[in-house]
PDB file of all heavy atoms in Angstrom:
ATOM      1  N   VAL A   1       1.342   3.122 -32.451  1.00 98.00           N
ATOM      2  CA  VAL A   1       2.173   1.898 -32.685  1.00 98.00           C
ATOM      3  C   VAL A   1       1.403   0.646 -32.121  1.00 98.00           C
ATOM      4  O   VAL A   1       0.483   0.738 -31.209  1.00 98.00           O
ATOM      5  CB  VAL A   1       3.513   1.973 -31.869  1.00 98.00           C
ATOM      6  CG1 VAL A   1       4.398   3.155 -32.487  1.00 98.00           C
ATOM      7  CG2 VAL A   1       3.196   2.250 -30.451  1.00 98.00           C
ATOM      8  N   GLU A   2       1.716  -0.451 -32.799  1.00 98.00           N
ATOM      9  CA  GLU A   2       1.284  -1.749 -32.363  1.00 98.00           C
ATOM     10  C   GLU A   2       2.284  -2.435 -31.515  1.00 98.00           C
ATOM     11  O   GLU A   2       3.478  -2.370 -32.043  1.00 98.00           O
ATOM     12  CB  GLU A   2       0.822  -2.552 -33.538  1.00 98.00           C
ATOM     13  CG  GLU A   2       0.129  -3.924 -33.088  1.00 98.00           C
ATOM     14  CD  GLU A   2      -0.620  -4.698 -34.190  1.00 98.00           C
ATOM     15  OE1 GLU A   2      -1.637  -4.243 -34.610  1.00 98.00           O
ATOM     16  OE2 GLU A   2      -0.079  -5.716 -34.717  1.00 98.00           O
ATOM     17  N   VAL A   3       1.863  -2.890 -30.341  1.00 98.00           N
ATOM     18  CA  VAL A   3       2.784  -3.465 -29.476  1.00 98.00           C
ATOM     19  C   VAL A   3       2.498  -4.917 -29.213  1.00 98.00           C
ATOM     20  O   VAL A   3       1.322  -5.124 -28.866  1.00 98.00           O
ATOM     21  CB  VAL A   3       2.924  -2.683 -28.218  1.00 98.00           C
ATOM     22  CG1 VAL A   3       3.878  -3.243 -27.212  1.00 98.00           C
ATOM     23  CG2 VAL A   3       3.211  -1.249 -28.493  1.00 98.00           C
ATOM     24  N   HIS A   4       3.540  -5.737 -29.279  1.00 97.00           N
ATOM     25  CA  HIS A   4       3.316  -7.137 -28.888  1.00 97.00           C
ATOM     26  C   HIS A   4       4.265  -7.467 -27.599  1.00 97.00           C
ATOM     27  O   HIS A   4       5.492  -7.149 -27.716  1.00 97.00           O
ATOM     28  CB  HIS A   4       3.875  -8.147 -29.975  1.00 97.00           C
ATOM     29  CG  HIS A   4       2.836  -8.167 -31.223  1.00 97.00           C
ATOM     30  ND1 HIS A   4       2.060  -9.145 -31.529  1.00 97.00           N
ATOM     31  CD2 HIS A   4       2.711  -7.215 -32.054  1.00 97.00           C
ATOM     32  CE1 HIS A   4       1.327  -8.895 -32.639  1.00 97.00           C
ATOM     33  NE2 HIS A   4       1.848  -7.644 -33.045  1.00 97.00           N
ATOM     34  N   LEU A   5       3.609  -7.825 -26.615  1.00 94.00           N
ATOM     35  CA  LEU A   5       4.314  -8.104 -25.289  1.00 94.00           C
ATOM     36  C   LEU A   5       4.920  -9.600 -25.366  1.00 94.00           C
ATOM     37  O   LEU A   5       4.109 -10.523 -25.499  1.00 94.00           O
ATOM     38  CB  LEU A   5       3.523  -7.921 -24.098  1.00 94.00           C
ATOM     39  CG  LEU A   5       3.231  -6.415 -23.759  1.00 94.00           C
ATOM     40  CD1 LEU A   5       2.453  -6.394 -22.429  1.00 94.00           C
ATOM     41  CD2 LEU A   5       4.499  -5.600 -23.668  1.00 94.00           C
ATOM     42  N   GLU A   6       6.209  -9.677 -25.213  1.00 92.00           N
ATOM     43  CA  GLU A   6       6.799 -11.085 -25.058  1.00 92.00           C
ATOM     44  C   GLU A   6       6.762 -11.349 -23.544  1.00 92.00           C
ATOM     45  O   GLU A   6       6.579 -12.467 -23.114  1.00 92.00           O
ATOM     46  CB  GLU A   6       8.222 -11.026 -25.549  1.00 92.00           C
ATOM     47  CG  GLU A   6       8.901 -12.444 -25.493  1.00 92.00           C
ATOM     48  CD  GLU A   6      10.099 -12.425 -26.213  1.00 92.00           C
ATOM     49  OE1 GLU A   6      10.312 -11.813 -27.314  1.00 92.00           O
ATOM     50  OE2 GLU A   6      11.074 -13.068 -25.759  1.00 92.00           O
ATOM     51  N   THR A   7       7.077 -10.318 -22.608  1.00 91.00           N
ATOM     52  CA  THR A   7       6.924 -10.524 -21.178  1.00 91.00           C
ATOM     53  C   THR A   7       5.781  -9.696 -20.725  1.00 91.00           C
ATOM     54  O   THR A   7       5.095  -8.857 -21.522  1.00 91.00           O
ATOM     55  CB  THR A   7       8.177 -10.184 -20.512  1.00 91.00           C
ATOM     56  OG1 THR A   7       8.479  -8.892 -20.839  1.00 91.00           O
ATOM     57  CG2 THR A   7       9.299 -11.044 -20.881  1.00 91.00           C
ATOM     58  N   GLY A   8       5.472  -9.837 -19.494  1.00 89.00           N
ATOM     59  CA  GLY A   8       4.236  -9.011 -18.971  1.00 89.00           C
ATOM     60  C   GLY A   8       4.612  -8.416 -17.612  1.00 89.00           C
ATOM     61  O   GLY A   8       3.777  -8.633 -16.697  1.00 89.00           O
ATOM     62  N   ARG A   9       5.514  -7.559 -17.590  1.00 91.00           N
ATOM     63  CA  ARG A   9       5.861  -6.751 -16.344  1.00 91.00           C
ATOM     64  C   ARG A   9       4.830  -5.615 -16.063  1.00 91.00           C
ATOM     65  O   ARG A   9       4.211  -5.159 -17.048  1.00 91.00           O
ATOM     66  CB  ARG A   9       7.216  -6.129 -16.384  1.00 91.00           C
ATOM     67  CG  ARG A   9       8.296  -7.244 -16.865  1.00 91.00           C
ATOM     68  CD  ARG A   9       8.428  -8.420 -15.879  1.00 91.00           C
ATOM     69  NE  ARG A   9       9.418  -9.381 -16.378  1.00 91.00           N
ATOM     70  CZ  ARG A   9       9.380 -10.623 -16.146  1.00 91.00           C
ATOM     71  NH1 ARG A   9       8.415 -11.040 -15.283  1.00 91.00           N
ATOM     72  NH2 ARG A   9      10.358 -11.448 -16.563  1.00 91.00           N
ATOM     73  N   THR A  10       4.690  -5.251 -14.848  1.00 89.00           N
ATOM     74  CA  THR A  10       3.781  -4.158 -14.494  1.00 89.00           C
ATOM     75  C   THR A  10       4.258  -2.831 -15.213  1.00 89.00           C
ATOM     76  O   THR A  10       5.521  -2.626 -15.158  1.00 89.00           O
ATOM     77  CB  THR A  10       3.933  -3.974 -13.015  1.00 89.00           C
ATOM     78  OG1 THR A  10       3.436  -5.191 -12.356  1.00 89.00           O
ATOM     79  CG2 THR A  10       2.978  -2.841 -12.520  1.00 89.00           C
ATOM     80  N   HIS A  11       3.415  -2.234 -15.904  1.00 95.00           N
ATOM     81  CA  HIS A  11       3.664  -0.941 -16.564  1.00 95.00           C
ATOM     82  C   HIS A  11       4.646  -1.097 -17.673  1.00 95.00           C
ATOM     83  O   HIS A  11       5.299  -0.172 -18.152  1.00 95.00           O
ATOM     84  CB  HIS A  11       4.264   0.142 -15.602  1.00 95.00           C
ATOM     85  CG  HIS A  11       3.216   0.487 -14.505  1.00 95.00           C
ATOM     86  ND1 HIS A  11       3.489   1.436 -13.582  1.00 95.00           N
ATOM     87  CD2 HIS A  11       2.006   0.041 -14.296  1.00 95.00           C
ATOM     88  CE1 HIS A  11       2.409   1.644 -12.797  1.00 95.00           C
ATOM     89  NE2 HIS A  11       1.484   0.745 -13.083  1.00 95.00           N
ATOM     90  N   GLN A  12       4.819  -2.291 -18.209  1.00 96.00           N
ATOM     91  CA  GLN A  12       5.912  -2.607 -19.174  1.00 96.00           C
ATOM     92  C   GLN A  12       5.918  -1.575 -20.311  1.00 96.00           C
ATOM     93  O   GLN A  12       7.003  -1.074 -20.613  1.00 96.00           O
ATOM     94  CB  GLN A  12       5.856  -3.956 -19.644  1.00 96.00           C
ATOM     95  CG  GLN A  12       7.004  -4.308 -20.583  1.00 96.00           C
ATOM     96  CD  GLN A  12       7.015  -5.760 -20.954  1.00 96.00           C
ATOM     97  OE1 GLN A  12       6.883  -6.683 -20.160  1.00 96.00           O
ATOM     98  NE2 GLN A  12       7.309  -6.146 -22.193  1.00 96.00           N
ATOM     99  N   ILE A  13       4.862  -1.510 -21.114  1.00 97.00           N
ATOM    100  CA  ILE A  13       4.800  -0.640 -22.317  1.00 97.00           C
ATOM    101  C   ILE A  13       5.031   0.760 -21.913  1.00 97.00           C
ATOM    102  O   ILE A  13       5.764   1.532 -22.536  1.00 97.00           O
ATOM    103  CB  ILE A  13       3.445  -0.795 -22.976  1.00 97.00           C
ATOM    104  CG1 ILE A  13       3.331  -2.286 -23.483  1.00 97.00           C
ATOM    105  CG2 ILE A  13       3.282   0.279 -24.042  1.00 97.00           C
ATOM    106  CD1 ILE A  13       1.922  -2.397 -24.025  1.00 97.00           C
ATOM    107  N   ARG A  14       4.538   1.289 -20.816  1.00 97.00           N
ATOM    108  CA  ARG A  14       4.654   2.632 -20.413  1.00 97.00           C
ATOM    109  C   ARG A  14       6.031   2.925 -19.981  1.00 97.00           C
ATOM    110  O   ARG A  14       6.679   4.012 -20.377  1.00 97.00           O
ATOM    111  CB  ARG A  14       3.757   2.887 -19.161  1.00 97.00           C
ATOM    112  CG  ARG A  14       2.255   2.550 -19.497  1.00 97.00           C
ATOM    113  CD  ARG A  14       1.398   2.550 -18.206  1.00 97.00           C
ATOM    114  NE  ARG A  14       1.349   3.824 -17.506  1.00 97.00           N
ATOM    115  CZ  ARG A  14       0.874   4.079 -16.265  1.00 97.00           C
ATOM    116  NH1 ARG A  14       0.436   2.941 -15.660  1.00 97.00           N
ATOM    117  NH2 ARG A  14       0.962   5.268 -15.615  1.00 97.00           N
ATOM    118  N   VAL A  15       6.680   1.882 -19.222  1.00 97.00           N
ATOM    119  CA  VAL A  15       8.022   2.216 -18.876  1.00 97.00           C
ATOM    120  C   VAL A  15       9.054   2.131 -20.005  1.00 97.00           C
ATOM    121  O   VAL A  15      10.002   2.977 -20.102  1.00 97.00           O
ATOM    122  CB  VAL A  15       8.540   1.086 -17.871  1.00 97.00           C
ATOM    123  CG1 VAL A  15      10.003   1.228 -17.618  1.00 97.00           C
ATOM    124  CG2 VAL A  15       7.810   1.276 -16.493  1.00 97.00           C
ATOM    125  N   HIS A  16       8.784   1.187 -20.896  1.00 98.00           N
ATOM    126  CA  HIS A  16       9.803   1.107 -22.020  1.00 98.00           C
ATOM    127  C   HIS A  16       9.690   2.234 -22.971  1.00 98.00           C
ATOM    128  O   HIS A  16      10.749   2.766 -23.400  1.00 98.00           O
ATOM    129  CB  HIS A  16       9.416  -0.210 -22.824  1.00 98.00           C
ATOM    130  CG  HIS A  16      10.288  -1.373 -22.210  1.00 98.00           C
ATOM    131  ND1 HIS A  16       9.972  -2.754 -22.653  1.00 98.00           N
ATOM    132  CD2 HIS A  16      11.252  -1.592 -21.526  1.00 98.00           C
ATOM    133  CE1 HIS A  16      10.840  -3.599 -22.085  1.00 98.00           C
ATOM    134  NE2 HIS A  16      11.593  -2.902 -21.277  1.00 98.00           N
ATOM    135  N   PHE A  17       8.571   2.718 -23.321  1.00 98.00           N
ATOM    136  CA  PHE A  17       8.430   3.805 -24.148  1.00 98.00           C
ATOM    137  C   PHE A  17       8.843   5.091 -23.518  1.00 98.00           C
ATOM    138  O   PHE A  17       9.434   6.086 -24.166  1.00 98.00           O
ATOM    139  CB  PHE A  17       6.984   3.918 -24.830  1.00 98.00           C
ATOM    140  CG  PHE A  17       6.888   3.046 -26.014  1.00 98.00           C
ATOM    141  CD1 PHE A  17       6.265   1.746 -25.875  1.00 98.00           C
ATOM    142  CD2 PHE A  17       7.294   3.426 -27.325  1.00 98.00           C
ATOM    143  CE1 PHE A  17       6.074   0.917 -26.865  1.00 98.00           C
ATOM    144  CE2 PHE A  17       7.188   2.655 -28.370  1.00 98.00           C
ATOM    145  CZ  PHE A  17       6.595   1.328 -28.202  1.00 98.00           C
ATOM    146  N   SER A  18       8.669   5.265 -22.339  1.00 97.00           N
ATOM    147  CA  SER A  18       9.256   6.307 -21.562  1.00 97.00           C
ATOM    148  C   SER A  18      10.706   6.283 -21.597  1.00 97.00           C
ATOM    149  O   SER A  18      11.333   7.531 -21.681  1.00 97.00           O
ATOM    150  CB  SER A  18       8.640   6.339 -20.051  1.00 97.00           C
ATOM    151  OG  SER A  18       9.187   7.444 -19.399  1.00 97.00           O
ATOM    152  N   ALA A  19      11.289   5.189 -21.446  1.00 96.00           N
ATOM    153  CA  ALA A  19      12.808   5.101 -21.439  1.00 96.00           C
ATOM    154  C   ALA A  19      13.354   5.433 -22.810  1.00 96.00           C
ATOM    155  O   ALA A  19      14.481   5.985 -22.881  1.00 96.00           O
ATOM    156  CB  ALA A  19      13.219   3.683 -21.067  1.00 96.00           C
ATOM    157  N   LEU A  20      12.575   5.277 -23.810  1.00 96.00           N
ATOM    158  CA  LEU A  20      12.965   5.711 -25.145  1.00 96.00           C
ATOM    159  C   LEU A  20      12.686   7.195 -25.515  1.00 96.00           C
ATOM    160  O   LEU A  20      12.912   7.784 -26.560  1.00 96.00           O
ATOM    161  CB  LEU A  20      12.292   4.982 -26.301  1.00 96.00           C
ATOM    162  CG  LEU A  20      12.486   3.398 -26.421  1.00 96.00           C
ATOM    163  CD1 LEU A  20      11.806   2.944 -27.640  1.00 96.00           C
ATOM    164  CD2 LEU A  20      13.971   3.204 -26.603  1.00 96.00           C
ATOM    165  N   ARG A  21      12.065   7.948 -24.429  1.00 97.00           N
ATOM    166  CA  ARG A  21      11.652   9.343 -24.520  1.00 97.00           C
ATOM    167  C   ARG A  21      10.520   9.567 -25.401  1.00 97.00           C
ATOM    168  O   ARG A  21      10.325  10.521 -26.080  1.00 97.00           O
ATOM    169  CB  ARG A  21      12.833  10.233 -24.855  1.00 97.00           C
ATOM    170  CG  ARG A  21      14.049  10.136 -23.946  1.00 97.00           C
ATOM    171  CD  ARG A  21      15.078  11.119 -24.185  1.00 97.00           C
ATOM    172  NE  ARG A  21      16.213  11.137 -23.423  1.00 97.00           N
ATOM    173  CZ  ARG A  21      16.312  11.575 -22.200  1.00 97.00           C
ATOM    174  NH1 ARG A  21      15.317  12.222 -21.561  1.00 97.00           N
ATOM    175  NH2 ARG A  21      17.402  11.324 -21.443  1.00 97.00           N
ATOM    176  N   HIS A  22       9.595   8.517 -25.494  1.00 98.00           N
ATOM    177  CA  HIS A  22       8.367   8.466 -26.315  1.00 98.00           C
ATOM    178  C   HIS A  22       7.316   8.038 -25.458  1.00 98.00           C
ATOM    179  O   HIS A  22       6.718   6.911 -25.650  1.00 98.00           O
ATOM    180  CB  HIS A  22       8.482   7.668 -27.568  1.00 98.00           C
ATOM    181  CG  HIS A  22       9.643   8.139 -28.570  1.00 98.00           C
ATOM    182  ND1 HIS A  22       9.447   9.285 -29.232  1.00 98.00           N
ATOM    183  CD2 HIS A  22      10.738   7.689 -28.934  1.00 98.00           C
ATOM    184  CE1 HIS A  22      10.467   9.517 -30.072  1.00 98.00           C
ATOM    185  NE2 HIS A  22      11.312   8.589 -29.789  1.00 98.00           N
ATOM    186  N   PRO A  23       6.909   8.632 -24.404  1.00 98.00           N
ATOM    187  CA  PRO A  23       5.956   8.162 -23.487  1.00 98.00           C
ATOM    188  C   PRO A  23       4.527   8.137 -24.151  1.00 98.00           C
ATOM    189  O   PRO A  23       4.435   8.836 -25.110  1.00 98.00           O
ATOM    190  CB  PRO A  23       5.983   9.233 -22.220  1.00 98.00           C
ATOM    191  CG  PRO A  23       6.528  10.443 -22.873  1.00 98.00           C
ATOM    192  CD  PRO A  23       7.458   9.911 -23.897  1.00 98.00           C
ATOM    193  N   CYS A  24       3.631   7.344 -23.573  1.00 98.00           N
ATOM    194  CA  CYS A  24       2.330   7.216 -24.063  1.00 98.00           C
ATOM    195  C   CYS A  24       1.685   8.683 -23.965  1.00 98.00           C
ATOM    196  O   CYS A  24       1.886   9.231 -22.759  1.00 98.00           O
ATOM    197  CB  CYS A  24       1.486   6.203 -23.369  1.00 98.00           C
ATOM    198  SG  CYS A  24       2.003   4.494 -23.640  1.00 98.00           S
ATOM    199  N   VAL A  25       0.967   9.118 -24.805  1.00 97.00           N
ATOM    200  CA  VAL A  25       0.279  10.440 -24.730  1.00 97.00           C
ATOM    201  C   VAL A  25      -0.703  10.290 -23.520  1.00 97.00           C
ATOM    202  O   VAL A  25      -1.241   9.264 -23.418  1.00 97.00           O
ATOM    203  CB  VAL A  25      -0.657  10.639 -26.127  1.00 97.00           C
ATOM    204  CG1 VAL A  25      -1.488  11.959 -25.766  1.00 97.00           C
ATOM    205  CG2 VAL A  25       0.365  10.955 -27.232  1.00 97.00           C
ATOM    206  N   GLY A  26      -0.592  11.265 -22.711  1.00 96.00           N
ATOM    207  CA  GLY A  26      -1.459  11.449 -21.424  1.00 96.00           C
ATOM    208  C   GLY A  26      -0.940  10.703 -20.254  1.00 96.00           C
ATOM    209  O   GLY A  26      -1.434  10.742 -19.099  1.00 96.00           O
ATOM    210  N   ASP A  27       0.135  10.003 -20.449  1.00 96.00           N
ATOM    211  CA  ASP A  27       0.837   9.227 -19.239  1.00 96.00           C
ATOM    212  C   ASP A  27       1.699  10.183 -18.459  1.00 96.00           C
ATOM    213  O   ASP A  27       3.013  10.057 -18.520  1.00 96.00           O
ATOM    214  CB  ASP A  27       1.539   8.027 -19.737  1.00 96.00           C
ATOM    215  CG  ASP A  27       1.863   7.075 -18.670  1.00 96.00           C
ATOM    216  OD1 ASP A  27       1.506   7.364 -17.492  1.00 96.00           O
ATOM    217  OD2 ASP A  27       2.596   6.026 -18.982  1.00 96.00           O
ATOM    218  N   LEU A  28       1.181  11.069 -17.612  1.00 95.00           N
ATOM    219  CA  LEU A  28       1.885  12.083 -16.880  1.00 95.00           C
ATOM    220  C   LEU A  28       2.898  11.350 -15.849  1.00 95.00           C
ATOM    221  O   LEU A  28       3.908  11.952 -15.489  1.00 95.00           O
ATOM    222  CB  LEU A  28       0.997  12.969 -16.179  1.00 95.00           C
ATOM    223  CG  LEU A  28      -0.081  13.637 -17.067  1.00 95.00           C
ATOM    224  CD1 LEU A  28      -0.870  14.751 -16.304  1.00 95.00           C
ATOM    225  CD2 LEU A  28       0.534  14.304 -18.272  1.00 95.00           C
ATOM    226  N   THR A  29       2.474  10.269 -15.378  1.00 93.00           N
ATOM    227  CA  THR A  29       3.365   9.505 -14.411  1.00 93.00           C
ATOM    228  C   THR A  29       4.696   9.280 -15.022  1.00 93.00           C
ATOM    229  O   THR A  29       5.735   9.196 -14.376  1.00 93.00           O
ATOM    230  CB  THR A  29       2.694   8.174 -13.970  1.00 93.00           C
ATOM    231  OG1 THR A  29       1.509   8.457 -13.361  1.00 93.00           O
ATOM    232  CG2 THR A  29       3.509   7.361 -13.075  1.00 93.00           C
ATOM    233  N   TYR A  30       4.692   8.948 -16.316  1.00 96.00           N
ATOM    234  CA  TYR A  30       5.938   8.499 -16.946  1.00 96.00           C
ATOM    235  C   TYR A  30       6.479   9.518 -18.082  1.00 96.00           C
ATOM    236  O   TYR A  30       7.087   9.224 -19.038  1.00 96.00           O
ATOM    237  CB  TYR A  30       5.746   7.046 -17.593  1.00 96.00           C
ATOM    238  CG  TYR A  30       5.787   5.960 -16.548  1.00 96.00           C
ATOM    239  CD1 TYR A  30       4.553   5.464 -16.261  1.00 96.00           C
ATOM    240  CD2 TYR A  30       6.953   5.579 -15.965  1.00 96.00           C
ATOM    241  CE1 TYR A  30       4.562   4.384 -15.261  1.00 96.00           C
ATOM    242  CE2 TYR A  30       6.907   4.629 -14.992  1.00 96.00           C
ATOM    243  CZ  TYR A  30       5.678   4.023 -14.751  1.00 96.00           C
ATOM    244  OH  TYR A  30       5.714   3.002 -13.723  1.00 96.00           O
ATOM    245  N   GLY A  31       6.200  10.826 -17.660  1.00 95.00           N
ATOM    246  CA  GLY A  31       6.844  11.845 -18.384  1.00 95.00           C
ATOM    247  C   GLY A  31       6.113  12.461 -19.595  1.00 95.00           C
ATOM    248  O   GLY A  31       6.840  13.219 -20.358  1.00 95.00           O
ATOM    249  N   ALA A  32       4.825  12.063 -19.889  1.00 97.00           N
ATOM    250  CA  ALA A  32       4.139  12.750 -21.003  1.00 97.00           C
ATOM    251  C   ALA A  32       3.921  14.205 -20.879  1.00 97.00           C
ATOM    252  O   ALA A  32       3.904  14.743 -19.621  1.00 97.00           O
ATOM    253  CB  ALA A  32       2.849  12.025 -21.155  1.00 97.00           C
ATOM    254  N   ASP A  33       3.746  14.902 -21.953  1.00 96.00           N
ATOM    255  CA  ASP A  33       3.400  16.318 -21.948  1.00 96.00           C
ATOM    256  C   ASP A  33       2.100  16.687 -21.524  1.00 96.00           C
ATOM    257  O   ASP A  33       1.164  16.338 -22.139  1.00 96.00           O
ATOM    258  CB  ASP A  33       3.778  16.875 -23.375  1.00 96.00           C
ATOM    259  CG  ASP A  33       3.532  18.345 -23.529  1.00 96.00           C
ATOM    260  OD1 ASP A  33       3.272  19.136 -22.486  1.00 96.00           O
ATOM    261  OD2 ASP A  33       3.617  18.811 -24.675  1.00 96.00           O
ATOM    262  N   PRO A  34       1.894  17.368 -20.453  1.00 96.00           N
ATOM    263  CA  PRO A  34       0.625  17.646 -19.957  1.00 96.00           C
ATOM    264  C   PRO A  34      -0.231  18.624 -20.937  1.00 96.00           C
ATOM    265  O   PRO A  34      -1.399  18.449 -20.950  1.00 96.00           O
ATOM    266  CB  PRO A  34       0.697  18.345 -18.587  1.00 96.00           C
ATOM    267  CG  PRO A  34       2.289  18.749 -18.519  1.00 96.00           C
ATOM    268  CD  PRO A  34       2.953  17.860 -19.524  1.00 96.00           C
ATOM    269  N   ALA A  35       0.566  19.394 -21.701  1.00 96.00           N
ATOM    270  CA  ALA A  35      -0.185  20.379 -22.525  1.00 96.00           C
ATOM    271  C   ALA A  35      -0.701  19.438 -23.803  1.00 96.00           C
ATOM    272  O   ALA A  35      -1.823  19.742 -24.158  1.00 96.00           O
ATOM    273  CB  ALA A  35       0.893  21.422 -23.083  1.00 96.00           C
ATOM    274  N   LEU A  36      -0.012  18.609 -24.249  1.00 96.00           N
ATOM    275  CA  LEU A  36      -0.522  17.684 -25.407  1.00 96.00           C
ATOM    276  C   LEU A  36      -1.694  16.858 -24.867  1.00 96.00           C
ATOM    277  O   LEU A  36      -2.647  16.734 -25.569  1.00 96.00           O
ATOM    278  CB  LEU A  36       0.650  16.849 -25.886  1.00 96.00           C
ATOM    279  CG  LEU A  36       0.156  15.795 -26.871  1.00 96.00           C
ATOM    280  CD1 LEU A  36      -0.307  16.596 -28.259  1.00 96.00           C
ATOM    281  CD2 LEU A  36       1.453  14.949 -27.317  1.00 96.00           C
ATOM    282  N   ALA A  37      -1.650  16.362 -23.690  1.00 96.00           N
ATOM    283  CA  ALA A  37      -2.709  15.536 -23.029  1.00 96.00           C
ATOM    284  C   ALA A  37      -3.964  16.459 -23.057  1.00 96.00           C
ATOM    285  O   ALA A  37      -4.999  15.951 -23.418  1.00 96.00           O
ATOM    286  CB  ALA A  37      -2.281  14.952 -21.725  1.00 96.00           C
ATOM    287  N   ALA A  38      -3.747  17.588 -22.545  1.00 95.00           N
ATOM    288  CA  ALA A  38      -4.995  18.447 -22.409  1.00 95.00           C
ATOM    289  C   ALA A  38      -5.573  18.843 -23.665  1.00 95.00           C
ATOM    290  O   ALA A  38      -6.783  18.859 -23.844  1.00 95.00           O
ATOM    291  CB  ALA A  38      -4.513  19.816 -21.615  1.00 95.00           C
TER     292      ALA A  38
END
């Protein structure tokens, strides 16, 4: 996905996509699947 930030909060993209249950691949802090990352 291409993302345009209107605001600039700490971890904004990571938090927002995690909240949608679509965390960034590899982002284990915010709920990503470790098997997929590996």
